[in-house]
Amino acid sequence: MAQETVNLEQEVVLVEELGNVRVVTLNNPKQLNIISPKVVEPLAANLEKWEKDEKAKLVIIKGAGRAFSAGGDLKVFYNGRNSKDSCLEVVYRMYWLCNHIHTYKKTTIALAHGISMGGGASLMAPMKFSVVTKKTVFSTPEASIGFHTDCGFSYMLSRLPGRLGEYLGLTGARLNGRELVAAGLATHFVPLEKLPELEKYLLSLNTGDEAAVGSAIKEFSTDVQIDEESILKKQSIIDECFSKDSVADIISSFETEAGKEGNGWIVPVLKGLKRSSPTGLKITLRSIREGRKQTLSECLKKEFRITINTLRARISGDVYEGIRALTIDKDNSPKWDPSTLENVEDEQVNLVFEPFEEDFELKVSENEQDRWDGKYEDSAYCHQ
């Protein structure tokens, strides 16, 4: 057994090489395994190495503690707010990595026990096999803090049934493990107590054969049945409301439904929507809807533009105000600017979607022979 620890000081990523199996543990449980530069770089480097290594057949990713991953390190964004493009490198590396996770050539498994949110869920949902438990909690809450659904989620959410993608992206609503499987964002639901045994069995199989791995996971998994109260049982209302042309129309339609008998569940969701960043909501809705007609690489390139323009506060500084209110001062009283949907002009929203000069776009190759090209260190950003 060869074990390698990346970043000995923090030990935020642990890597084990066990026969033909490679195990990655996101190991920052006190911070819910947030994704920082110290996570992205070693993860990308190892995935590239293993895809090219004939001995590596199966890659397992899991999280230490009660989280799989709670997503990006928001404080890194906030602390860099006064330095232009201080977070550009980690954003570029993460979105580039997301492409390779979606298109990885070896069999991959996420053992996503616990919190799996935002960018953290981008290490779960695209895997060949994504295993969840009763403790798994998923959401994409970025719009509420003035950001947008990123890390490939404008691609993934847009492909969910009906208008569920718009609903999840705009409201940040949570899904549990069973709901994730039912919605198609995870492949298997495994009883919590069986998860260690499943991992041990996968290691003993020592194979990346997709059929064998899938059969093994199925032995440990149970069929899912979702509660009558589940949001997935509200698909007709979601489709009716979240198919409207604009965020304002969606909210208006949702308000109408809230007044009908049996729709009390809508009231707290509406409250959250109305407290969210108007800019974040408008950008997120457009991005998800564009995503329906875009390829994965087109979505990632678009998300890269939106993120960089958002962090540059090109049309609004809401993302920094949202992070301040949520994680810095924790007063949960953000002051959005613009403060209303009607004051967020479409012409302004257009600006964050504008393509960059070709050299400054995210480089994602769709050719097999050079699929690992386009790294940050080879980009125009690194040689300015």
Side-chain angles (χ1 to χ4, degrees):
M1 179 181 100
Q3 177 164 344
E4 174 187 350
T5 301
V6 181
N7 196 322
L8 292 173
E9 188 178 339
Q10 293 289 333
E11 293 186 339
V12 294
V13 175
L14 300 176
V15 174
E16 296 173 276
E17 299 187 353
L18 306 165
N20 296 323
V21 184
R22 305 294 179 260
V23 182
V24 176
T25 303
L26 305 175
N27 191 44
N28 188 2
K30 288 184 178 179
Q31 292 185 284
L32 303 179
N33 301 322
I34 54 175
I35 296 172
S36 67
K38 294 175 182 176
V39 171
V40 177
E41 292 187 48
L43 188 53
N46 277 295
L47 286 176
E48 180 177 3
K49 179 178 74 172
W50 296 334
E51 187 175 284
K52 297 174 179 177
D53 180 1
E54 291 185 3
K55 294 179 182 178
K57 307 292 187 185
L58 176 67
V59 177
I60 300 173
I61 299 182
K62 61 180 182 174
R66 63 190 180 95
F68 179 69
S69 174
D73 188 344
L74 297 180
K75 289 185 178 178
V76 169
F77 285 167
Y78 188 78
N79 292 338
R81 66 194 183 281
N82 295 321
S83 303
K84 185 183 177 184
D85 291 346
S86 62
C87 296
L88 190 148
E89 180 179 347
V90 68
V91 169
Y92 187 105
R93 289 185 185 278
M94 183 61 190
Y95 293 5
W96 183 87
L97 172 60
C98 285
N99 177 65
H100 290 86
I101 288 173
H102 275 266
T103 59
Y104 204 62
K105 302 305 179 188
K106 302 292 178 75
T107 303
T108 53
I109 304 174
L111 300 179
H113 161 59
I115 296 167
S116 182
M117 295 186 176
S122 72
L123 305 180
M124 173 199 77
M127 296 297 185
K128 181 61 66 177
F129 301 103
S130 43
V131 176
V132 293
T133 73
K134 67 180 182 180
K135 293 286 189 179
T136 305
V137 180
F138 164 89
S139 76
T140 49
E142 294 86 355
S144 66
I145 61 163
F147 203 52
H148 66 107
T149 47
D150 68 333
C151 293
F153 272 103
S154 71
Y155 178 82
M156 290 182 277
L157 292 184
S158 68
R159 281 154 176 79
L160 294 180
R163 301 294 177 158
L164 182 61
E166 281 100 326
Y167 176 81
L168 295 175
L170 293 175
T171 67
R174 296 183 173 192
L175 297 181
N176 61 34
R178 288 183 174 85
E179 290 170 326
L180 282 169
V181 174
L185 286 167
T187 62
H188 294 82
F189 182 89
V190 170
L192 184 60
E193 64 276 7
K194 289 188 177 181
L195 202 60
E197 190 182 345
L198 169 61
E199 183 180 353
K200 186 183 295 184
Y201 187 57
L202 290 169
L203 293 175
S204 70
L205 279 180
N206 199 35
T207 181
D209 180 78
E210 227 173 87
V213 170
S215 178
I217 298 173
K218 189 174 182 180
E219 283 186 36
F220 286 81
S221 66
T222 60
D223 293 335
V224 300
Q225 291 185 332
I226 55 175
D227 299 333
E228 284 303 313
E229 294 74 31
S230 169
I231 193 61
L232 301 184
K233 296 284 190 178
K234 320 290 186 186
Q235 189 79 47
S236 61
I237 294 176
I238 289 173
D239 290 351
E240 170 64 27
C241 298
F242 286 78
S243 61
K244 303 305 181 190
D245 289 342
S246 68
V247 176
D249 289 344
I250 286 171
I251 291 175
S252 177
S253 178
F254 215 30
E255 284 176 327
T256 300
E257 290 294 330
K260 298 178 181 178
E261 188 176 348
N263 284 349
W265 63 274
I266 294 177
V267 176
V269 181
L270 258 178
K271 186 177 179 182
L273 262 176
K274 292 178 178 180
R275 285 172 51 87
S276 296
S277 159
T279 301
L281 291 173
K282 281 201 168 186
I283 291 172
T284 294
L285 180 62
R286 175 170 164 180
S287 181
I288 291 172
R289 289 191 169 166
E290 285 189 1
R292 281 200 176 92
K293 300 176 181 178
Q294 293 173 325
T295 63
L296 171 65
S297 61
E298 287 170 340
C299 282
L300 288 168
K301 289 177 181 180
K302 171 196 63 186
E303 291 170 6
F304 178 71
R305 297 172 199 132
I306 297 171
T307 293
I308 298 307
N309 281 320
T310 299
L311 294 178
R312 288 173 177 172
R314 186 167 183 192
I315 65 170
S316 171
D318 273 7
V319 67
Y320 300 117
E321 175 63 6
I323 295 172
R324 178 206 65 75
L326 179 69
T327 66
I328 308 300
D329 298 335
K330 299 181 180 178
D331 57 26
N332 289 314
S333 298
K335 304 294 187 290
W336 305 125
D337 183 20
S339 59
T340 62
L341 287 166
E342 53 265 33
N343 287 333
V344 182
E345 298 178 1
D346 290 343
E347 292 75 14
Q348 290 294 101
V349 173
N350 289 342
L351 296 177
V352 300
F353 284 82
E354 283 183 354
F356 295 147
E357 291 180 23
E358 182 57 34
D359 286 348
F360 293 95
E361 294 280 13
L362 178 72
K363 300 300 181 186
V364 178
S365 175
E366 296 184 14
N367 299 319
E368 292 298 313
Q369 62 270 26
D370 57 4
R371 63 183 252 95
W372 291 95
D373 289 357
K375 295 181 176 68
Y376 173 79
E377 49 267 35
D378 299 322
S379 74
Y381 291 108
C382 200
H383 299 286
Q384 290 186 93

